[in-house]
Amino acid sequence: MKLPAVPGITPVTLDSVERTTAELHALMARLRGPDAARDLGLEAAAVQSAEIAHEQRAGLLALVEHHDADPALLIAGVVPVDVPLEEAADLRHFVADTTPGLREVSSARTGRGYPVVIVERIGLSGAQLQALVLDPDRPRAAVFTLHSPGGRGWLEVAGLAGTLVAGVDLTPAAPAPGIRAGSARSPGGTSARSAGRW
């Protein structure tokens, strides 16, 4: 799977829980400014996010930032789809049927024509968006989850995540010899993983 580079989305390494935590905490602290050293919740959030990403064997964990919004976390991975689905409409009904209480479920197509279902929840714990991109050639889907605890500027960060999802390429590709996808990050909100494969 290949993802486009999107300015404002900064992936962190997934080499180990400790490295993921340290890198994510440093990014969050940079955004928080001088008060970050006294914010114990910031480190706890980094630890929790890193642990979740590793438990779920995520292919991507990233910080999404926009100058008019609270930062949000984006986690993505590929999951098997155990039911036969031909179109986004099938996936949309599957998501709605298996997740009680959902009301905001829509479907679309990515820039490459893949069916995608978008689920949005806005509540007391912040805003969350999930995009499930169906692979029409294999029984799997790429799942992207964006979460903003504060919710300020939600449309801006959701738009950045949408740009990433719209450019996903589900064709199988092997990583370059000797290079683990996502092991390097470049400044400016893009990285080897966001422009690479996993």
Side-chain angles (χ1 to χ4, degrees), residues 5 18-19 21-22 115 123 152 165 185 194:
E18 295 76 21
R19 283 195 60 196
T21 299
R152 183 183 68 86
V165 170
R185 192 179 98 242
S194 67

Side-chain angles (χ1 to χ4, degrees), residues 24-25 28-30 32-33 35-37 39-47:
L24 185 58
H25 184 256
M28 295 165 80
R30 177 184 53 81
R32 179 70 185 227
D35 295 335
D39 189 347
L40 297 178
L42 204 61
E43 185 172 359
V47 169

Side-chain angles (χ1 to χ4, degrees), residues 84-109:
L85 300 171
E86 298 297 326
E87 289 294 327
D90 296 339
L91 184 56
R92 181 178 175 178
H93 293 303
F94 174 75
V95 170
D97 290 345
T98 59
T99 314
L102 279 185
R103 294 194 178 128
E104 299 296 323
V105 181
S106 60
S107 58
R109 288 200 174 264

Side-chain angles (χ1 to χ4, degrees), residues 124-188:
L124 296 176
S125 62
Q128 185 180 57
L129 179 138
Q130 280 190 313
L132 292 86
V133 182
L134 182 64
D135 187 339
D137 299 323
R138 291 161 206 81
R140 65 179 188 166
V143 180
F144 297 83
T145 303
L146 179 71
H147 180 71
S148 170
R152 183 183 68 86
W154 173 243
L155 293 178
E156 283 74 14
V157 291
L160 291 172
T163 300
L164 183 74
V165 170
V168 68
D169 182 355
L170 295 174
T171 55
I179 298 175
R180 182 176 182 264
S183 63
R185 192 179 98 242
S186 62

